[in-house]
Amino acid sequence: MAQLPMLPDAEAALAELAARMAPAVAHDAAFVGIYSGGAWVAERLAQMLPGDHPVGFIDVGFYRDDFKRSGLKANTRRTELPFDVEGATIVLVDDVLYTGRSVRAAINELFDFGRPDAIELAVLVDRGGRELPIEPAYTGARVAVARDLSIVLSRDGAGRLALAVEPAAAP
């Protein structure tokens, strides 16, 4: 097994992400968090950043390109977008960016709800290893992690975020 990397403190990475976004994000941008970690980050960012940011949540389970191979995950949730996607400025939020496939799936799903004016990507952690040409506009931290490991975001009862490394699930 690969050596475990040093992970940043999740709360510090969130503060860094918010600081990078604050001067650039539109005051009326809608935040869409990819379940589940991206949803937690989107909720927190909407509170931390100036402006009026409606928050929605998206589950990409049916839109993933590996759906036929791996099936639907047990914790599938309903996509909730309490604003009009058509013409909106959207900040798509994910916890950990790796291959880019979840982000691609989220963008595909967003377009099923309408055509936004713009979509920006914000991620708490960029771990590299992209398989698609997807790059975040805003990143809280960058961490190099071996392919056989996953970075997992958790949230405690008080809403504090924490990062951990686990063995990657078998393909």
Side-chain angles (χ1 to χ4, degrees):
M1 184 188 304
Q3 181 179 357
L4 296 180
M6 290 293 299
L7 293 178
D9 175 78
E11 291 293 329
L14 180 64
E16 183 65 28
L17 178 59
R20 290 178 178 163
M21 293 174 71
V25 170
H27 282 275
D28 63 346
F31 293 173
V32 176
I34 300 174
Y35 279 121
S36 61
W40 302 335
V41 174
E43 287 174 326
R44 294 280 301 277
L45 287 171
Q47 296 169 353
M48 296 169 77
L49 294 173
D52 180 22
H53 303 288
V55 179
F57 309 107
I58 197 164
D59 188 318
V60 299
F62 288 113
Y63 288 79
R64 289 193 52 93
D65 59 8
D66 59 358
F67 174 73
K68 289 182 181 174
R69 182 172 17 134
S70 60
L72 191 60
K73 293 184 179 172
N75 58 351
T76 303
R77 297 185 177 123
R78 181 185 175 116
T79 291
E80 300 175 35
L81 301 173
F83 52 86
D84 191 5
V85 170
E86 187 72 31
T89 298
I90 293 177
V91 178
L92 186 60
V93 182
D94 205 359
D95 54 352
V96 179
L97 177 59
Y98 182 28
T99 64
R101 293 182 182 278
S102 292
V103 172
R104 184 218 43 92
I107 292 170
N108 283 359
E109 186 171 353
L110 279 173
F111 273 86
D112 282 351
F113 288 88
R115 185 182 188 279
D117 273 352
I119 300 174
E120 296 180 306
L121 177 60
V123 298
L124 185 65
V125 176
D126 181 351
R127 63 167 284 174
R130 222 78 77 238
E131 295 174 0
L132 299 173
I134 291 176
E135 195 65 27
Y138 312 103
T139 303
R142 295 183 191 278
V143 179
V145 179
R147 292 186 76 78
D148 64 342
L149 298 174
S150 291
I151 299 175
V152 179
L153 183 67
S154 62
R155 180 173 71 167
D156 68 16
R160 281 193 52 82
L161 302 175
L163 292 166
V165 175
E166 297 178 354

